[in-house]
Amino acid sequence: MVAAYQAAAAAGAPEGLLWRDQVNWLNAREAAAARQSRWAVEDLYRQRIRDLQAEAAAGAR
């Protein structure tokens, strides 16, 4: 996830937006997925990485 976050930032995604989204993601991870199961946490990680990769791709255009 660190590499995906850094790639999104390097591609020009606004740092404030990235940070806000990351905080929201962390809160969702703790509030919902961690209480459900390990698989729910994995799903959240995969989705966040896809979101960051999309930010990086959008910034690279």
Side-chain angles (χ1 to χ4, degrees):
M1 182 175 312
V2 171
Y5 187 97
Q6 290 172 341
E15 185 64 31
L17 177 64
L18 280 176
W19 181 247
R20 187 191 70 209
D21 286 349
Q22 189 72 12
V23 169
N24 288 340
W25 177 83
L26 288 168
N27 289 335
R29 182 192 70 181
E30 294 304 315
R35 292 188 183 120
Q36 292 175 23
S37 72
R38 182 179 71 125
W39 308 114
V41 174
E42 272 186 48
D43 289 344
L44 277 177
Y45 269 89
R46 286 189 183 114
Q47 182 59 51
R48 180 64 178 144
I49 290 169
R50 282 192 299 270
D51 292 346
L52 290 167
Q53 289 170 334
E55 288 285 337
R61 292 179 207 176

